[in-house]
Amino acid sequence: MSGLDYPIFPVFALLGLLASIIPLPWHLQAWNTGTCYYMMWTALACLNQFVNSIVWHRNVINWAPVWCDISIRIMLGSSVGIPAASLCINRRLYKIAKVQAVTVTRAEKHHAVLIDTLICVLFPILFVALQYVNQGHRFDIYEDIGCYPFIYNTILAFLLTDIWPIIIGLISAVYCGLSLRAFYQRRAQFSQFLSSNTTLTASRYFRLMALSTTELCCTIPLASFMIWVNSSAAPVEPWISWANTHYDFSFVGQYPSVLWARDYLLVVAVQLTRWLVIACAFIFFAFFGFAAEARKNYRAGFGAVVKLLRFHPTTSASLRSPATARPVMVTSGHSLPVYVVKEKDRLSFPDSIAKFSEEMESTSPDFTPSEVSCPGTPSSMMYPIGRAV
């Protein structure tokens, strides 16, 4: 195949998965549901592509039919789930830019979460269910690619499959324009709202705006390009009937790379489909993976790992004689380690003075400091008829 396949693609797919889920916790805390759904759909799509690229490397064996049934639905769902999440981000930014009250109640937050969930979860589920209308057979398997949905190249496919990312992108464009206009009209009130909001800062607002604008600039052109590819790679056929479309539905197409890689447009469409989700992951991480709150959470996570792995020599200390002095490291969360000495019998203050006097009298007057031993000091620390999605 090409240089964009194994092992490069699985590595990038795994990195895209990590780049998507690392910033998720603090966005959940900030009630950024659109952003969270963007990360979830992107991470799920990267994980799906990662598994497929590993399992079907240099083979087209139908190892896991149930997984392929799930995999093709993840691909179809993410094709509208990610643009839908971007739509929710633009919608939220518009709501913030035209804010009429500084405070936001908890009921309003729950209502916003419900609307975002309907757009980002329920709509993709309905979209995936509708794809069965034009699904010719169960699925296809491409060598080095993995499971892939088979959608008949008909007019109905453009209405049920290809057109929805463009529609979502156009709605997002409207929200984006409205939010920019509202921002310039209410700059003073907008600043007051951000100053009183503990979960949204000006920096995070503009990074969300940059992310949604970038995704918007890519969605409509790429979706239009995929429509052109699908109409050029194979002739557009009429949709005859339900029985004709679903005849021998259990069939699984298996295509080695020596067959399907001959079709240049198909190669472009397939590679573009699976690399775009990785690009979405890295674009998101570029905007949010290096922000101040991200660096703060990285430091906190690193500190937790260091604290978890820190060595406490309590076991070796218990093996020593009780009468032997042993430095024990006591750690504090905000200071350097402090070393104390544990002894069997701790003398009171007058007794310690008397014992010190007796030792001084029994010590030779011409001793040197090099002759004093410290027993408590340790010596070491331890090919296909189908179409692209």
Side-chain angles (χ1 to χ4, degrees), residues 19 44 87 129 183 252 283 310-311 359:
L44 189 61
L87 168 61
F183 170 72
V252 174
I283 290 173
R310 186 170 291 171
F311 176 69
E359 290 176 350

Side-chain angles (χ1 to χ4, degrees), residues 7-327:
I8 296 177
F9 182 82
V11 172
F12 275 88
L14 181 59
L15 292 176
L17 170 63
L18 296 177
S20 300
I21 63 176
I22 285 176
L24 182 60
W26 55 88
H27 284 276
L28 285 172
Q29 295 175 359
W31 294 70
N32 295 331
T33 49
T35 311
C36 293
Y37 282 127
Y38 185 96
M39 288 184 281
M40 291 175 184
W41 275 114
T42 304
L44 189 61
C46 289
L47 176 62
N48 179 49
Q49 296 292 352
F50 172 76
V51 173
N52 284 342
S53 63
I54 294 292
V55 175
W56 282 278
H57 174 54
R58 293 184 177 180
N59 75 90
V60 291
I61 301 174
N62 190 7
W63 300 105
V66 176
W67 164 257
C68 283
D69 289 333
I70 298 172
S71 176
I72 62 173
R73 284 158 178 81
I74 292 175
M75 294 179 63
L76 292 169
S78 62
S79 67
V80 295
I82 295 175
S86 180
L87 168 61
C88 289
I89 294 174
N90 276 301
R91 180 177 173 274
R92 180 170 185 258
L93 295 178
Y94 170 65
K95 294 289 185 181
I96 294 173
K98 76 174 190 68
V99 65
Q100 297 177 353
V102 175
T103 60
V104 179
T105 64
R106 193 173 186 87
E108 291 174 334
K109 289 183 178 181
H110 289 162
H111 182 262
V113 171
L114 177 61
I115 297 300
D116 289 345
T117 302
L118 293 176
I119 296 174
C120 296
V121 178
L122 183 60
F123 171 70
I125 291 176
L126 294 176
F127 173 83
V128 171
L130 284 175
Q131 302 314 301
Y132 183 74
V133 175
N134 209 47
Q135 185 179 351
H137 53 258
R138 191 171 178 182
F139 54 83
D140 290 334
I141 296 177
Y142 296 97
E143 182 182 356
D144 293 324
I145 302 296
C147 311
Y148 211 83
F150 179 87
I151 304 295
Y152 267 126
N153 197 23
T154 64
I155 296 295
L156 194 60
F158 293 97
L159 298 176
L160 295 179
T161 306
D162 297 335
I163 199 66
W164 285 104
I166 296 179
I167 294 176
I168 297 172
L170 291 176
I171 299 174
S172 295
V174 172
Y175 272 116
C176 185
L178 290 175
S179 61
L180 288 175
R181 188 185 69 174
F183 170 72
Y184 284 108
Q185 290 177 347
R186 299 179 176 88
R187 281 175 290 181
Q189 192 176 5
F190 175 79
S191 301
Q192 182 183 5
F193 172 79
L194 290 181
S195 63
S196 63
N197 196 310
T198 59
T199 62
L200 182 67
T201 62
S203 174
R204 179 177 290 180
Y205 179 89
F206 290 115
R207 280 185 276 113
L208 285 170
M209 180 66 73
L211 172 67
S212 59
T213 303
T214 302
E215 200 275 337
L216 176 63
C217 293
C218 297
T219 298
I220 298 177
L222 289 173
S224 302
F225 175 74
M226 295 302 293
I227 291 177
W228 175 82
V229 169
N230 289 327
S231 60
S232 301
V236 180
E237 300 177 357
W239 193 84
I240 300 174
S241 66
W242 181 277
N244 177 269
T245 302
H246 299 92
Y247 175 76
D248 195 17
F249 186 80
S250 60
F251 171 77
V252 174
Q254 297 166 282
Y255 305 101
S257 60
V258 294
L259 296 180
W260 72 268
R262 295 176 180 178
D263 190 336
Y264 175 74
L265 288 178
L266 180 62
V267 172
V268 171
V270 169
Q271 295 288 8
L272 191 62
T273 298
R274 62 184 197 148
W275 278 98
L276 278 178
V277 295
I278 298 177
C280 290
F282 282 104
I283 290 173
F284 181 86
F285 192 79
F287 284 117
F288 292 94
F290 304 100
E293 67 265 28
R295 297 194 299 269
K296 176 183 177 181
N297 284 278
Y298 296 156
R299 287 193 294 267
F302 180 76
V305 171
V306 170
K307 185 177 181 180
L308 182 64
L309 299 179
R310 186 170 291 171
F311 176 69
H312 296 274
T314 55
T315 303
S316 58
S318 61
L319 296 177
R320 287 180 170 267
S321 174
T324 304
R326 174 71 177 181

